[in-house]
Every structure is written in C-alpha cells, then in structure tokens.
C-alpha cells in the first residue's frame, strides 16, 4: 500500500490559487489518465469494500462518477448518480448545502435506492465535506441497510476537517494530504 500511495502522490497535480486565491487545488484527473493509477485505485477500493455487501455506489458529480463506475464493475453492483440540479431527467429529491463561496444542491432520482441496499458514497476529494454530507443526507432518505463513504483524497493540510462532519458513518480514504 505504501508503494501504491507514492505512485498516486507522484501522479497527483496541485494547482495553486484555484478556483480562488489561497486554495491549493488537487487535480485527480492526472490519476485518471494513468492506467497504473486507475488499477491501483480500483484494486485498493475493491479490497476495502469486497466483503461489505455493497449493492449501489453513489458517485458524486462529476469526478466521483469515474471510480464509482470502475468499482461497481468489480463489485458487481449498480451506480447511482448524485448530480447538480436539472441534470437528471426523472423525478428527484434534493439536498442543499453551504459552501465557502455560496450554496449548492445535489439531486438523486427518487427510485435510486431502497431499504435493501448497502450503499457506498464515493467522491474524489474530501475537503470541507459539504457536498458529500448532502449526498449522505439524500441517501438516508431511502433508509438503506447500511451506508459507507469513500474518497480518493482527504485534505487536512489546509486546516480542513471534512471528516468531522461524518460522525455516524464509516469513512475511508486512499490518501491523506
């Protein structure tokens, strides 16, 4: 795992002052373009969740869709999309949340999950936790058997404490920066 972590870190791009001054953006698209990184991430996520009985993976728009789909193939489960408003064609439920620079909303189809599902919520990055917390609240409307949350990267080096908003759910990350 340590060697794999280094490969991921070596392939991760940082962009200073994006999307605004003072933020050091971690660009995971550089991980997605590497076949080696994709294999590492998929294999490590599979090892984390292969025995959890996952039936649905909720991918958060948009970078969360990528690993949600890759992992779903290995786990043999479905993928549910958590999207920005107006992107899903059927009836949705929504959850709004505050961000450091405004308010945003995520939506899911009303028939995405049921009480027999074991759900993994996945996104690329945990910083403040706002988007993932909104997705978690949406998933809880469906009363699934169990819910897990995963991120590729957890940012803690900039005074961010996103993990603290998830007291009642198992949360894992592949990398902590």
């Amino acid at each position: 795992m340590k060697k794999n972590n280094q490969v991921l870190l070596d392939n991760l791009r940082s962009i200073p002052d994006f999307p605004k001054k003072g933020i050091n953006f971690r660009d995971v698209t550089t991980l997605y373009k590497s076949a080696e990184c994709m294999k590492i991430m998929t294999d490590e996520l599979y090892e984390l969740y292969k025995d959890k009985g996952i039936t649905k993976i909720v991918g958060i728009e948009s970078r969360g869709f990528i690993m949600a789909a890759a992992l779903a193939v290995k786990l043999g489960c479905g993928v549910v999309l958590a999207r920005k408003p107006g992107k899903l064609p059927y009836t949705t439920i929504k959850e709004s949340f505050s961000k450091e620079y405004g308010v945003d909303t995520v939506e899911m189809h009303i028939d995405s999950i049921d009480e027999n599902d074991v759900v993994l919520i996945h996104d690329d990055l945990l910083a403040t936790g706002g988007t993932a917390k909104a997705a978690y609240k949406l998933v809880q409307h469906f009363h699934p058997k169990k819910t897990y949350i995963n991120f590729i990267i957890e940012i803690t080096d900039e005074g961010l404490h996103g993990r603290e908003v998830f007291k009642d759910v198992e949360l894992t990350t592949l990398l902590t920066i």
Side-chain angles (χ1 to χ4, degrees):
M1 177 105 166
K2 196 172 200 176
K3 178 185 176 228
N4 288 343
N5 284 353
Q6 193 58 54
V7 170
L8 296 177
L9 287 169
D10 289 347
N11 282 277
L12 182 65
R13 178 171 36 212
S14 293
I15 303 171
D17 297 324
F18 182 84
K20 66 180 192 174
K21 188 165 180 61
I23 294 178
N24 188 19
F25 186 80
R26 310 298 190 205
D27 180 11
V28 298
T29 64
T30 54
L31 301 179
Y32 299 146
K33 73 178 185 176
S34 162
E36 180 183 20
C37 290
M38 284 295 294
K39 180 169 180 12
I40 288 169
M41 291 184 297
T42 305
D43 289 350
E44 288 191 10
L45 289 171
Y46 177 75
E47 287 302 315
L48 285 169
Y49 293 102
K50 66 182 179 185
D51 297 323
K52 303 283 188 183
I54 304 295
T55 58
K56 302 268 176 67
I57 301 175
V58 174
I60 299 175
E61 186 165 334
S62 65
R63 292 178 302 270
F65 297 168
I66 297 165
M67 292 312 300
L71 182 58
V73 170
K74 277 192 92 154
L75 290 176
C77 66
V79 174
V80 173
L81 305 181
R83 301 216 55 194
K84 293 180 179 178
K87 301 288 186 175
L88 294 170
Y90 187 61
T91 307
T92 62
I93 60 170
K94 63 184 170 183
E95 186 72 36
S96 294
F97 60 98
S98 295
K99 295 175 27 171
E100 58 274 15
Y101 41 85
V103 174
D104 211 343
T105 302
V106 291
E107 296 181 338
M108 291 172 50
H109 283 139
I110 61 168
D111 59 353
S112 297
I113 297 168
D114 66 44
E115 65 276 351
N116 295 313
D117 283 318
V118 176
V119 178
L120 171 62
I121 299 169
H122 174 78
D123 204 1
D124 64 325
L125 187 83
L126 173 60
T128 64
T131 307
K133 185 66 172 191
Y136 177 72
K137 286 179 180 178
L138 281 177
V139 167
Q140 296 316 297
H141 285 288
F142 297 102
H143 307 288
K145 283 184 188 176
K146 180 89 174 162
T147 304
Y148 301 92
I149 299 179
N150 172 266
F151 301 91
I152 296 169
I153 300 167
E154 178 180 3
I155 307 263
T156 60
D157 68 347
E158 296 167 2
L160 299 170
H161 305 286
R163 181 177 289 267
E164 292 175 9
V165 303
F166 298 103
K167 303 264 187 231
D168 56 344
V169 62
E170 182 180 313
L171 183 149
T172 60
T173 61
L174 297 184
L175 298 171
T176 302
I177 298 175

